[in-house]
Amino acid sequence: MKKSVKISLITVGVCVLLFGASAVAYRIIRTQGFANSYTINQKEKAQSKVLILTQQSHFKDSVMAKVKDTFEGQPLFIQVQDISTIDNVKQKDWDRILLITTVQSSDLPEKAVHFIKKEANFSKVHLFVTADSGRWPKKPKEVDVVTTTSKKSNIDTFSNAINQVIQKND
């Protein structure tokens, strides 16, 4: 084999390897953490019950802190838990269910997709999505969807949209 062919093959191989490693590293870096569960207000005094299923990230944590500040002390029970617990959700127990999640590789987490497609009562379920582009072309038609980028400048807008859904009177 000629020396130039060997160098070309090695160069192409290294490029493919670097691209693959970069793709894996990007996916790992962008993976969301596990959100801690907590409640806002007492269930016994609540006129309405809201479940928020989310993920852990700096942006989502900041948004949820604003939501918590808004609703503490209100006659409203809010349960916050990680979106991975979605399999255990009984929709009849909640007045509203908010899914706050991230689009990765153009899709939501698999459990969230299954929930939306198979089980969601679309008058109760509201979807809040963060995406790098701020747009998500696969929005389901049946579900209210708000999409944004995870930028500090969007925290107020995103939390206000969540607050409006929580306050909504049916």
Side-chain angles (χ1 to χ4, degrees):
M1 192 183 297
K2 289 185 178 183
K3 187 176 182 177
S4 62
V5 173
K6 283 183 180 179
I7 291 173
S8 295
L9 288 174
I10 290 171
T11 302
V12 168
V14 168
C15 288
V16 168
L17 185 63
L18 286 174
F19 177 76
S22 297
V24 168
Y26 175 80
R27 182 72 175 196
I28 290 170
I29 290 168
R30 301 297 294 167
T31 299
Q32 305 293 293
F34 189 83
N36 293 324
S37 294
Y38 60 93
T39 60
I40 303 170
N41 303 319
Q42 295 177 5
K43 195 175 197 176
E44 299 77 33
K45 297 180 180 179
Q47 296 171 358
S48 184
K49 295 182 290 182
V50 177
L51 175 63
I52 299 176
L53 298 165
T54 189
Q55 297 167 307
Q56 189 277 322
S57 73
H58 179 71
F59 178 79
K60 290 181 188 75
D61 293 347
S62 298
V63 167
M64 290 311 302
K66 288 196 163 284
V67 170
K68 184 176 181 180
D69 289 346
T70 300
F71 292 106
E72 272 187 326
Q74 301 293 320
L76 173 66
F77 175 73
I78 300 174
Q79 173 69 44
V80 179
Q81 55 195 54
D82 191 81
I83 199 159
S84 66
T85 64
I86 199 167
D87 291 340
N88 303 323
V89 172
K90 293 182 177 132
Q91 292 185 58
K92 64 180 174 55
D93 295 341
W94 303 99
D95 297 311
R96 267 180 274 313
I97 300 170
L98 284 66
L99 306 178
I100 304 172
T101 188
T102 297
V103 171
Q104 290 183 300
S105 303
S106 298
D107 278 318
L108 300 177
E110 189 176 319
K111 288 181 177 185
V113 171
H114 179 269
F115 181 83
I116 291 166
K117 286 183 176 178
K118 305 282 190 234
E119 301 173 23
N121 172 343
F122 299 118
S123 64
K124 285 186 178 188
V125 176
H126 305 271
L127 186 56
F128 294 86
V129 177
T130 59
D132 288 341
S133 67
R135 292 179 286 118
W136 181 43
K138 294 184 176 182
K139 293 179 184 179
K141 293 178 182 131
E142 306 87 1
V143 182
D144 274 343
V145 180
V146 175
T147 308
T148 192
T149 55
S150 297
K151 293 181 181 175
K152 187 176 183 179
S153 60
N154 292 336
I155 291 172
D156 287 339
T157 304
F158 205 57
S159 61
N160 288 341
I162 291 169
N163 292 346
Q164 287 176 357
V165 168
I166 292 172
Q167 293 172 332
K168 184 170 85 171
N169 293 323
D170 295 328

